[in-house]
Amino acid sequence: MDEVAFLLRPRSDGWVIDGTVGMGGHAEAVLDASGPGVSVLGLDVDPEALARARARLARFGDRVRLVRASFRDVERVAGAEGIVEARAVLLDLGVSSYQIDESGRGFSFQRDEPLDMRLDPAAPRTAADLLNTLPETELARVIFEYGDERHARRIARAIVHRRALRTTADLVAAVRSAIPSAARQRGRSGAVHMATRTFQAVRMAVNDEPGALGEALPRAARLLGGGDRMGVIAFHSGEDRIVKQTFRRLAGAEFAAVEPSPLTPGDDEVRANPRARSAKLRVLERLP
Ligand SMILES: C[S@@+](CC[C@H](N)C(=O)[O-])C[C@H]1O[C@@H](n2cnc3c(N)ncnc32)[C@H](O)[C@@H]1O
């Protein structure tokens, strides 16, 4: 949080675009740290998250505008709001604690809930739809590519055998049946639950998160003025790879990465917020 507020501090008055406003924590930090001439345009696909952000940010009055939209459409949304240049753009990828713990939409393997996993409740395809219809080879590809899961093929086979899956417990059972017992033991003693990677991969596929990110980054970069910055927080290697490669492609005469390697949270932050442990922040600047 501190690094984001510092690295993305607006160099002058104008609009900061938070493409993943979530519960409004980062937006609040930016607004608190800046003067009345700095405003925030916040986007999110989840109407419940937006309602929470709206309540949290109410005290800032007309310094805040919130729009239900995907960050994939950031240029169009900014244009419709009359914003031609952003002093900073933030994307804090993935899901929020509220979505994992309270939404009831099946983001956590620690609860038995319907296999939904849509961040946007109006999106056409749920996790159950995807798990019950994708061909086995395609399922294996998704779990391998988005989850970095080396048992992807076995897990895909187990899912197909157990169709139709309805709840998160069904998916956990499929993963458990597919992972060799030695790996299950390692998962139990280590920090990562054996179903973590599969759940992450399915969530990313349901919401086309890599597709949205790949399209959003160049569009968001075009909104920056000279000397303005975009920060992206990614929580796993697949996402971070997209950010790294896109920033590298953009770097040159017009843009430059602010730090050569990503920033990661310190020990104190991880102790206070264990979910931050795998976060990586990359920052791109449009050259003056
Ligand atoms: C990690 S949370 C953000 C938390 C936020 N920074 C805060 O301080 O409360 C990620 C948010 O991004 C939203 N999200 C995910 N994909 C999105 C997309 N393509 N467009 C807009 N919002 C998206 C999720 O609904 C979620 O609320």
Side-chain angles (χ1 to χ4, degrees), residues 20-256:
T20 52
V21 74
M23 292 175 291
H26 282 106
E28 183 176 46
V30 167
L31 289 161
D32 271 334
S34 49
V38 171
S39 306
V40 167
L41 171 66
L43 275 54
D44 207 293
V45 284
D46 182 346
E48 273 194 58
L50 280 178
R52 285 167 189 247
R54 189 160 284 120
R56 184 174 193 161
L57 303 173
R59 68 188 166 95
F60 296 104
D62 59 8
R63 291 176 69 198
V64 177
R65 279 192 218 163
L66 299 175
V67 178
R68 182 176 171 190
S70 169
F71 54 63
R72 175 181 243 144
D73 298 320
V74 62
E75 247 180 333
R76 187 183 54 73
V77 174
E81 295 291 325
I83 299 169
V84 289
E85 200 170 272
R87 291 281 84 92
V89 177
L90 171 66
L91 297 181
D92 177 17
L93 302 172
V95 279
S96 67
S97 298
Y98 133 73
Q99 284 161 331
I100 296 172
D101 298 329
E102 295 171 48
S103 72
R105 283 184 243 154
F107 292 111
S108 170
F109 47 78
Q110 281 163 340
R111 274 160 243 281
D112 192 14
E113 295 173 350
L115 275 168
D116 184 324
M117 295 202 201
R118 288 171 301 175
L119 292 168
D120 174 356
R125 204 173 53 160
T126 66
D129 295 335
L130 187 141
L131 290 163
N132 292 326
T133 58
L134 272 194
E136 187 179 319
T137 48
E138 183 61 9
L139 258 183
R141 186 192 65 77
V142 163
I143 296 169
F144 180 72
E145 270 184 28
Y146 298 169
D148 283 329
E149 170 58 71
R150 65 196 179 94
H151 301 294
R153 275 208 220 138
R154 301 167 68 124
I155 293 171
R157 196 172 317 136
I159 289 169
V160 170
H161 279 304
R162 285 166 178 263
R163 279 173 177 170
L165 281 66
R166 290 195 170 77
T167 71
T168 46
D170 295 340
L171 182 55
V172 171
V175 174
R176 182 175 292 118
S177 74
I179 290 192
S181 62
R184 279 210 301 273
Q185 289 301 337
R186 273 201 302 282
R188 208 169 293 152
S189 56
V192 179
H193 185 279
M194 63 178 168
T196 305
R197 295 189 179 87
T198 302
F199 268 67
Q200 169 193 296
V202 174
R203 191 205 79 218
M204 288 178 72
V206 166
N207 298 290
D208 186 24
E209 293 173 41
L213 179 61
E215 286 182 25
L217 292 175
R219 291 177 183 166
R222 282 198 290 270
L223 283 166
L224 300 174
D228 296 331
R229 291 172 169 185
M230 161 159 69
V232 185
I233 306 173
F235 286 86
H236 69 89
S237 55
E239 264 171 0
D240 184 55
R241 215 175 298 135
I242 296 174
V243 181
K244 182 166 102 180
Q245 288 171 353
T246 310
F247 280 12
R248 214 173 259 171
R249 222 176 31 248
L250 289 170
E254 223 180 330
F255 297 98

Side-chain angles (χ1 to χ4, degrees), residues 1-11 16 26 29-34 87-88 90 227-231 258-259 263 281 283 285:
M1 187 72 89
D2 293 344
E3 283 88 346
V4 168
F6 178 72
L7 286 165
L8 298 188
R9 66 195 181 283
R11 65 186 167 85
V16 172
H26 282 106
V30 167
L31 289 161
D32 271 334
S34 49
R87 291 281 84 92
L90 171 66
D228 296 331
R229 291 172 169 185
M230 161 159 69
V258 171
E259 303 270 349
L263 285 166
L281 167 67
V283 181
E285 183 174 304

